[in-house]
Amino acid sequence: MDSECLALLPAVCLVLADPKQSPPDDTSLEKLLDWFKELHSQSNGQVLLQHQPCLLEFISSVCTSKTTDHAILAFTLKLTGLLAATTQGFHLLEEGGLLVSVFEREAWCVCDHWEDASVRSGWLQGLLNMLKHQQALDFIRGNGLIKVILQLQNDRSLFVACLANQLLVHILNFLTSSNMTNGSDAVGSSELSLRPDWVSVSSEIMNAVVEALSSEDHPQVLQGLRLLSLVLSQCGEPIRSTLWKDVLVPLEVLVNRGSESLMKTLITVLQAAVRTPLLSQSEYKVEVLLEAMLGDGNRKEHFQCAALILKLEKCPEVLKRKAMNIILLPLQCVSTQPQAEKEIIVVLKEQLSQKASCISLLMQSLSSLAELAHTKYLFEDISIHSVTSSVVLLLRMCSGHCPSSLLHINAFTHLIGCCKVQRCGLDTLGALSVYEENVDLRKDIFGVLLDCLQSPDSHATVMKKTFQAIKRWIVECLPFPDLLQFISHDLFPVLEKRLCDLRWEVRDSTLEFITQLTAALNGYSGFTEALHNSGMVSVLLSSLADAEGYVRASAVAAVGEAVTVSFHIVNNNNLLEEALVQMMSVLSQDTEGFPRRAVVKVFTSWLRGSHPITALDSSLSSVLSLGGNDFDWEVKMHTLELAEMLMEKTLTCCPYAIQNFGSSEETHFTQALSRLKAYGLFDLLLNSLFDCDRPVCEKACGLLVKLRTLTAETADLNHSAFVLNVCGNRWENEVQRRCLKKQPAKASVCVTNLVSKSDEGTDCDLHCSRNISLYKILQILDLDDMQRMLTLSSDHVVNSPRSLMEDILSAAQQSEENIVDCY
């Protein structure tokens, strides 16, 4: 492929360099550049440039043209940097003066090319591609390009500014890796030992960061902070600590100023600093800066800062506790009397009186609390019991219950029916289930959750969050006394009511919850009986006829789980039979794909379970047949997953040893294969191998390869017990084609050894009546080659470099023809 592409390259370069031609789209140029990168990695820049002089001509032509398209110019800049990434390629380009021509910004400014952001971006990317050796850094320094890169750091294009920052960090890293006298990463452990001209490079960059942080220009300060953050996270010592010392004074000024617009960026900088050894050295004041940003919680920005500090992976425990106290204030303020200074309470009252800030502060408080609970954070100075009570009280307020101890009445009016706070509160309440201190609050918690489910005004998304919280509390509190009483008398009646809700989303969420709850309580004493005695199973079966396809799919999953937990019940046959009848009806008659997919997945889960496979024997062949011929490719994929599970269950149950068969083992193995044949599994796999959907073919091919390996190791067995009829299948033509290809001289004669022993001596034409053993079919089909082709993307030919180049040349040819037609 590469040789064919290289043959096309000179013509492609001529087309790209011609300003009269319309340039290819950006995607095509990026794909072409990717091919150059791959080619360059396989050889080196010198070989490519020496054997393809058209590249040098192309670069020279683009540089000297004043009418080059911006996209072609940007492509050329990136390509030149890539070719100069090796010392050999660099010298070849430098000898002809091309490097200076390409990266001299003044030339592009004259032609107004520099005004285009793609050209500036290509210029930076070209330098980034080139900076792989010392000569490249000398070139950047010697031509005064550091100054240009620093200017681009404040570019009006955010993409260009970010790329400039990346290049500056790359330069600093290059200086560190090439010239450190000591490789230790300890703070201040080594000093830069650079050539004098390189010292000026690092000094110029560091001074620019200090200048940016000291500036009154907000965008310049932001870019300076972003570069500082990148240096802290990506550069090693001594660059990191040296720069931190230089910026510490202006950084302290910015932190103490408390600008809201800089808050997140400053936290990002400090977060990067916390992850370095700078945190452990008091002279670098990382912890002091964090505490200064946190303040005393009397400003809105301090709550945002507290939330961000709690997300830090490495944070001093004292600081985390202070942030925790601040972040919980809004929650405590609307539910109980907070323990805080009067000044802070006044600020909170003012902010809670405004709807937007009230909701924002409470969600911040709740989400931070939930994140800490997920890590099982130990609340040493705070009672988790009182915190959980505050969350319960807040949820009651959202449902319209006004507590008498409410500190600020305006907050209550903002909270009634507020879905955002409800969803956040329910997530937090679910997360708090991990704390044993909340056990005695269980009754209040289940009470407020049931209120959310029973309320006709509850939003569908609130219902879903409520179900998740209930499940977490039930699972975390197991076992507890009154569970079955709560489920049977309190929960199931509400669920039955919600299954009749007019909103399909609520019905769907309810069925998903029942499925999850049933799976979670599988094996819990008394739950299965409660499920049956409550009449919930009948309600689930009736939901299979719901008007909405998503709901029917969820109902299938719920019924499947109900059957699974009921296998140990003696009188379970009626439920299984009714479930099988209804599910086969869904698989064969439902007009939507989701329910049919769910049916096949349920059969797979049943097979995966521990119940005997014989309970499903009567339906498996129908499921494989219907699923394999479904028009929905996902149904076919799930059917193949069912087939894989069936193969695993059937073949692994055979007491045979591959390397040493006895007569008993041969019988068991033959019976297992015959059983799979009776299910129609072999026909399913072979038909799926030639399906119109590539993922289906790929999956079937993988299973057939497994089957081929197994039958090849047992080739001495009698395979006449599992022969297949060629006629009427998708794979008939392929088998016949491969037969004829193997014996072209006998085009009208069947290969005798393909037919089973019972058919030997008959007419050898591959008529529909011919039966071929599975073993022979798997040998005829070139499964390895098919598997290799199927792993390729469906558009691998269209997106190949050769196809791309041919498209570029074809577009140019059509353009010339159109010009002729016009005349």
Side-chain angles (χ1 to χ4, degrees):
M1 176 68 78
D2 284 340
S3 60
E4 296 172 348
C5 294
L6 289 172
L8 295 173
L9 187 56
V12 171
C13 286
L14 286 174
V15 170
L16 294 179
D18 187 356
K20 296 178 181 179
Q21 296 286 350
S22 298
D25 58 86
D26 292 342
T27 304
S28 298
L29 292 174
E30 285 300 321
K31 288 179 180 177
L32 192 58
L33 197 64
D34 288 340
W35 175 69
F36 276 114
K37 288 178 183 176
E38 184 180 349
L39 200 63
H40 192 267
S41 64
Q42 295 171 359
S43 56
N44 60 64
Q46 183 181 18
V47 173
L48 187 57
L49 286 171
Q50 285 179 340
H51 288 81
Q52 295 294 328
C54 61
L55 290 174
L56 293 172
E57 295 170 5
F58 166 71
I59 295 170
S60 177
S61 176
V62 171
C63 291
T64 55
S65 173
K66 295 183 179 181
T67 57
T68 302
D69 186 87
H70 294 149
I72 298 296
L73 180 53
F75 168 78
T76 307
L77 289 164
K78 296 174 187 176
L79 176 62
T80 305
L82 181 66
L83 296 174
T86 62
T87 54
Q88 299 93 334
F90 180 89
H91 288 310
L92 278 173
L93 287 165
E94 191 179 37
E95 286 172 4
L98 285 179
L99 277 181
V100 175
S101 299
V102 170
F103 292 106
E104 187 179 22
R105 189 190 68 161
E106 286 72 14
W108 309 130
C109 290
V110 172
C111 303
D112 292 333
H113 290 309
W114 196 253
E115 293 301 313
D116 191 274
S118 65
V119 173
R120 301 194 299 276
S121 170
W123 187 85
L124 289 167
Q125 188 63 58
L127 292 177
L128 198 57
N129 291 342
M130 181 173 62
L131 193 56
K132 299 289 190 295
H133 46 78
Q134 295 184 4
Q135 291 90 333
L137 184 56
D138 285 334
F139 173 81
I140 292 173
R141 181 202 58 77
N143 288 277
L145 301 185
I146 295 292
K147 184 178 180 180
V148 182
I149 299 169
L150 288 169
Q151 289 173 354
L152 291 176
Q153 190 197 10
N154 299 302
D155 195 88
R156 59 182 177 274
S157 167
L158 183 61
F159 183 75
V160 173
C162 291
L163 200 54
N165 275 340
Q166 290 177 27
L167 180 54
L168 290 169
V169 170
H170 192 61
I171 291 171
L172 290 174
N173 264 330
F174 187 85
L175 290 171
T176 307
S177 61
S178 299
N179 297 274
M180 278 184 59
T181 57
N182 187 349
S184 174
D185 193 47
V187 179
S189 63
S190 60
E191 296 294 334
L192 279 179
S193 177
L194 302 176
R195 293 166 16 192
D197 52 348
W198 282 15
V199 171
S200 64
V201 173
S202 62
S203 299
E204 189 175 0
I205 295 174
M206 292 186 183
N207 291 337
V209 177
V210 176
E211 185 181 338
L213 297 190
S214 306
S215 171
E216 295 297 325
D217 182 40
H218 181 74
Q220 190 175 353
V221 175
L222 273 177
Q223 288 302 329
L225 289 171
R226 286 168 182 159
L227 178 56
L228 176 59
S229 176
L230 286 174
V231 171
L232 290 171
S233 57
Q234 296 181 22
C235 291
E237 291 296 341
I239 289 287
R240 188 170 54 209
S241 56
T242 303
L243 178 59
W244 185 261
K245 288 177 184 176
D246 292 343
V247 302
L248 192 53
V249 173
L251 196 60
E252 284 183 292
V253 173
L254 290 173
V255 168
N256 293 324
R257 188 182 298 169
S259 172
E260 182 179 357
S261 58
L262 294 176
M263 183 68 67
K264 288 187 178 179
T265 314
L266 283 168
I267 281 291
T268 304
V269 170
L270 293 175
Q271 187 174 16
V274 165
R275 292 171 177 161
T276 70
L278 295 172
L279 178 64
S280 59
Q281 303 291 328
S282 59
E283 64 268 25
Y284 294 108
K285 300 184 179 180
V286 177
E287 189 172 343
V288 174
L289 289 173
L290 281 169
E291 191 165 2
M293 287 198 65
L294 195 56
D296 52 10
N298 61 354
R299 294 175 58 184
K300 182 181 178 181
E301 297 80 37
H302 294 158
F303 293 105
Q304 296 173 354
C305 182
L308 292 169
I309 284 176
L310 289 173
K311 293 179 181 179
L312 295 178
E313 294 176 7
K314 295 179 180 178
C315 181
E317 191 60 31
V318 175
L319 195 61
K320 181 171 278 191
R321 289 178 188 172
K322 183 176 180 180
M324 188 75 249
N325 289 331
I326 290 176
I327 204 67
L328 286 178
L329 283 176
L331 176 62
Q332 295 170 342
C333 195
V334 298
S335 55
T336 58
Q337 181 67 40
Q339 302 297 320
E341 297 177 8
K342 185 177 180 180
E343 181 185 355
I344 299 176
I345 300 299
V346 172
V347 173
L348 271 176
K349 286 180 66 174
E350 181 183 351
Q351 296 196 8
L352 292 172
S353 64
Q354 303 169 17
K355 184 173 182 178
S357 59
C358 174
I359 293 172
S360 174
L361 285 173
L362 285 172
M363 289 182 65
Q364 214 166 55
S365 181
L366 289 167
S367 59
S368 297
L369 180 58
E371 288 178 13
L372 288 173
H374 283 308
T375 63
K376 293 189 177 181
Y377 179 74
L378 298 177
F379 295 86
E380 296 181 2
D381 301 332
I382 303 172
S383 167
I384 193 64
H385 186 281
S386 65
V387 170
T388 307
S389 298
S390 296
V391 176
V392 170
L393 190 55
L394 181 65
L395 287 172
R396 290 198 183 280
M397 291 165 60
C398 291
S399 299
H401 300 281
C402 180
S404 57
S405 60
L406 186 67
L407 179 67
H408 193 55
I409 194 65
N410 285 345
F412 171 64
T413 59
H414 302 325
L415 293 174
I416 297 177
C418 181
C419 296
K420 289 183 178 180
V421 175
Q422 277 184 297
R423 288 194 294 264
C424 206
L426 289 165
D427 280 338
T428 304
L429 189 60
L432 291 169
S433 62
V434 298
Y435 294 100
E436 296 179 0
E437 298 93 321
N438 290 326
V439 171
D440 59 333
L441 287 173
R442 197 166 48 212
K443 183 177 180 180
D444 292 336
I445 291 167
F446 282 131
V448 74
L449 292 174
L450 284 175
D451 286 344
C452 290
L453 290 182
Q454 290 172 329
S455 173
D457 299 322
S458 290
H459 193 270
T461 55
V462 172
M463 292 279 189
K464 191 176 184 70
K465 294 289 186 182
T466 305
F467 286 133
Q468 293 171 357
I470 290 176
K471 175 179 170 287
R472 289 201 65 173
W473 274 95
I474 287 178
V475 172
E476 290 290 346
C477 292
L478 283 176
F480 65 89
D482 303 328
L483 173 61
L484 295 177
Q485 176 79 11
F486 167 72
I487 291 175
S488 300
H489 292 82
D490 298 325
L491 186 58
F492 279 161
V494 178
L495 296 181
E496 190 171 345
K497 178 182 176 182
R498 283 303 168 201
L499 285 174
C500 300
D501 199 290
L502 294 176
R503 297 164 293 178
W504 72 265
E505 297 93 340
V506 174
R507 302 196 301 274
D508 188 55
S509 297
T510 306
L511 287 165
E512 287 180 354
F513 168 70
I514 293 172
T515 305
Q516 295 166 2
L517 185 67
T518 305
L521 295 181
N522 187 6
Y524 187 79
S525 177
F527 172 75
T528 306
E529 289 76 7
L531 185 67
H532 284 264
N533 296 336
S534 65
M536 281 302 299
V537 174
S538 300
V539 177
L540 296 179
L541 289 168
S542 64
S543 295
L544 292 170
D546 194 277
E548 177 59 47
Y550 292 113
V551 179
R552 295 196 298 276
S554 296
V556 167
V559 170
E561 200 59 50
V563 171
T564 299
V565 301
S566 304
F567 267 101
H568 68 278
I569 298 179
V570 178
N571 299 321
N572 178 49
N573 289 336
N574 292 337
L575 172 60
L576 179 58
E577 290 175 6
E578 186 173 358
L580 287 173
V581 169
Q582 293 211 37
M583 289 200 178
M584 293 308 299
S585 175
V586 170
L587 185 59
S588 60
Q589 299 176 21
D590 203 297
T591 57
E592 296 189 44
F594 292 104
R596 300 198 304 275
R597 296 172 199 167
V599 168
V600 182
K601 286 195 285 186
V602 163
F603 272 89
T604 306
S605 69
W606 283 345
L607 279 185
R608 191 177 288 114
S610 57
H611 50 272
I613 201 172
T614 53
L616 306 174
D617 275 355
S618 59
S619 303
L620 280 175
S621 58
S622 298
V623 174
L624 293 177
S625 176
L626 289 168
N629 290 292
D630 200 284
F631 56 82
D632 185 295
W633 75 271
E634 290 193 55
V635 174
K636 289 183 282 191
M637 282 294 290
H638 291 310
T639 305
L640 289 173
E641 290 169 5
L642 172 63
E644 184 176 24
M645 181 56 60
L646 187 58
M647 284 173 57
E648 182 181 324
K649 284 284 185 178
T650 306
L651 295 176
T652 54
C653 289
C654 300
Y656 67 90
I658 295 291
Q659 303 299 330
N660 187 20
F661 275 87
S663 59
S664 175
E665 286 77 9
E666 290 182 14
T667 303
H668 281 297
F669 182 64
T670 302
Q671 288 176 350
L673 288 176
S674 299
R675 193 173 183 182
L676 292 177
K677 177 177 179 283
Y679 288 136
L681 185 139
F682 301 147
D683 286 325
L684 167 70
L685 296 184
L686 289 166
N687 283 327
S688 298
L689 185 64
F690 301 99
D691 194 86
C692 57
D693 292 300
R694 186 174 64 90
V696 176
C697 303
E698 189 176 1
K699 179 69 175 179
C701 190
L703 294 178
L704 285 169
V705 168
K706 290 182 182 179
L707 202 56
R708 183 190 62 185
T709 303
L710 190 59
T711 55
E713 291 172 336
T714 59
D716 55 331
L717 295 180
N718 180 13
H719 293 279
S720 61
F722 37 95
V723 296
L724 303 174
N725 194 298
V726 181
C727 182
N729 290 296
R730 299 175 196 165
W731 44 275
E732 175 187 359
N733 292 336
E734 182 67 16
V735 171
Q736 292 215 34
R737 185 182 68 80
R738 290 184 181 273
C739 283
L740 299 179
K741 186 177 180 181
K742 284 190 175 184
Q743 296 203 5
K746 301 179 180 180
S748 61
V749 182
C750 172
V751 183
T752 305
N753 66 357
L754 294 182
V755 296
S756 61
K757 293 181 180 180
S758 60
D759 291 319
E760 288 185 289
T762 63
D763 182 10
C764 288
D765 288 343
L766 275 173
H767 291 307
C768 294
S769 60
R770 298 304 92 191
N771 293 328
I772 305 179
S773 74
L774 175 67
Y775 172 74
K776 293 299 181 183
I777 293 174
L778 296 179
Q779 299 306 311
I780 291 171
L781 297 173
D782 192 351
L783 294 175
D784 294 326
D785 184 61
M786 294 180 76
Q787 194 170 39
R788 181 186 63 81
M789 292 299 295
L790 288 167
T791 54
L792 299 173
S793 62
S794 57
D795 60 350
H796 70 279
V797 175
V798 177
N799 284 335
S800 66
R802 177 184 172 183
S803 175
L804 180 63
M805 291 183 173
E806 289 174 345
D807 287 345
I808 292 172
L809 296 174
S810 175
Q813 179 66 31
Q814 289 177 9
S815 176
E816 291 177 4
E817 291 174 357
N818 290 339
I819 292 172
V820 173
D821 289 343
C822 290
Y823 284 103

